[in-house]
Amino acid sequence: GASHVGLNFYERSPRAVSIDQARQLAQPVPPSVCKVGLFVDADDALIDAAVDSASLDLLQLHGAETPERVAALKARTKRAVLKVISIASSTDLKAAEGYVGIADWLMFDAKPPKDIENALPGGNARPFDWPAEWPHIPPDGRTLTPCLDTQRIYCTNVSYYTRKGPFMEQLTKRQ
């Protein structure tokens, strides 16, 4: 089964849940499964309510949260933090360096496309290329090495693939 389940608290997302919905969804989740709360520039009140109601284990921050904000949330909530870095070019990768040693996990996602009005900060089903010359950031966050061939993928997010939309319609037609 799944090792993690996600609850999206970004109100503009089509996958957003309310605090009450999160409580109901999280209740049957076994303790062995990590409950992740996705937030975009959320205030402390929303994060606290979500952590308390859904017993979240991990905070996924998908907005413009600074390294200082990440550190403060980690300290205050006593929860692990996954910081999402939006990538469009190699210069965007530099932003990850500020979170090394602060965030427990880093996730890389395509920057919102400029050609889509009101695009979400992530989950727009847009890929980005990870050229071989870009560095690899290992999970321990201690070093940056240019060894993409030794990269290990620890997890993948399937939320785009599991919702109704163009991909699922194509998949259904192929079956």
Side-chain angles (χ1 to χ4, degrees):
S3 63
H4 293 67
V5 295
L7 299 164
N8 186 328
F9 294 94
Y10 184 52
E11 65 183 31
R12 284 190 44 226
S13 171
R15 295 178 294 278
V17 296
S18 69
I19 295 297
D20 288 335
Q21 289 171 319
R23 181 181 298 109
Q24 293 171 2
L25 291 167
Q27 193 170 25
V29 176
S32 60
V33 175
C34 180
K35 292 183 286 298
V36 182
L38 184 151
F39 303 93
V40 179
D41 300 319
D43 62 22
D44 288 350
L46 175 60
I47 292 172
D48 291 346
V51 166
D52 291 341
S53 69
S55 300
L56 297 177
D57 302 300
L58 177 67
L59 308 179
Q60 178 177 328
L61 305 178
H62 224 298
E65 298 89 0
T66 64
E68 295 79 17
R69 173 74 170 145
V70 171
L73 280 171
K74 233 179 114 162
R76 192 173 58 71
T77 65
K78 307 284 190 261
R79 298 303 192 270
V81 174
L82 180 154
K83 177 62 182 130
V84 178
I85 308 296
S86 296
I87 303 287
S89 70
S90 60
T91 57
D92 296 320
L93 192 61
K94 285 278 186 203
E97 293 175 1
Y99 297 93
V100 172
I102 296 172
D104 298 283
W105 293 80
L106 295 175
M107 177 190 289
F108 301 96
D109 195 8
K111 265 193 178 173
K114 293 179 182 177
D115 61 332
I116 296 179
E117 188 176 330
N118 296 317
L120 296 171
N124 292 295
R126 295 291 175 105
F128 68 90
D129 291 327
W130 189 283
E133 66 272 12
W134 287 15
H136 163 62
I137 301 174
D140 65 10
R142 289 184 296 207
T143 58
L144 297 176
T145 60
C147 300
L148 189 64
D149 59 339
T150 63
Q151 179 173 349
R152 293 170 289 175
I153 304 294
Y154 286 94
C155 55
T156 186
N157 184 334
V158 297
S159 66
Y160 171 71
Y161 302 106
T162 58
R163 70 173 192 223
K164 182 170 175 54
F167 177 84
M168 289 304 289
E169 290 166 11
Q170 290 173 11
L171 184 62
T172 303
K173 288 177 187 176
R174 289 182 190 160
Q175 294 178 349

